[in-house]
Amino acid sequence: MDNQGCFGTVTRALHWSMAVLIGWQFVGMISKVAVGREHPVSQFLGGYHLNIGTVLFVLIVLRLAWAFINRRNRPSHGAGLLAKAAVAGHTAIYTLMLLVPLMALIRAWGRERGFSPFGFELFAPARPIPW
């Protein structure tokens, strides 16, 4: 559990595992732009984008639930303008961490590929809209 002095082991484990996976996602997409989609490095780093994104989404939901459970025990941001900026920054990051995967799910739902992380089909490919 978190306490007023420091974040607990679970919070730190969630934080750093998500940081590594988000970093992997960024490096993978940057490598596709920098060296091309067909380059072996891009294929390795970007080839797991869907699966890593799925794991990240689950970790984000777990992290939000854990933060809610520990909301009264978490260290204070302090007072003043810097503390307000920290709260605003964290709110923006959490919002983006939820919205980006949700938009990816919505996009996948409307595409012709469907969504099958780790080979498990969560929803089938969309049928083309005849317009």
Side-chain angles (χ1 to χ4, degrees):
M1 297 293 282
D2 297 341
N3 62 52
Q4 296 294 323
C6 67
F7 292 103
T9 305
V10 173
T11 300
R12 285 185 271 144
L14 287 168
H15 172 85
W16 286 110
S17 60
M18 289 174 57
V20 167
L21 293 176
I22 289 171
W24 181 293
Q25 295 288 63
F26 274 113
V27 170
M29 293 301 106
I30 289 169
S31 72
K32 283 187 175 186
V33 172
V35 296
R37 289 183 172 273
E38 303 305 319
H39 194 277
V41 172
S42 297
Q43 289 181 345
F44 174 72
L45 292 171
Y48 298 101
H49 191 80
L50 174 80
N51 293 336
I52 290 174
T54 303
V55 170
L56 267 169
F57 189 68
V58 170
L59 288 176
I60 290 162
V61 171
L62 289 174
R63 186 171 178 183
L64 286 170
W66 185 252
F68 182 76
I69 291 167
N70 282 281
R71 69 188 177 279
R72 297 195 197 316
N73 301 328
R74 299 175 71 103
S76 171
H77 286 19
L81 186 60
L82 195 56
K84 290 179 182 178
V87 170
H90 281 98
T91 302
I93 289 170
Y94 274 94
T95 302
L96 282 172
M97 286 190 304
L98 273 175
L99 287 179
V100 170
L102 282 174
M103 289 188 309
L105 280 172
I106 291 168
R107 185 188 67 193
W109 190 10
R111 292 181 79 180
E112 297 171 359
R113 287 191 280 173
F115 186 66
S116 302
F118 300 104
F120 298 104
E121 185 176 77
L122 295 183
F123 49 83
R127 293 188 187 127
I129 301 171
W131 18 353

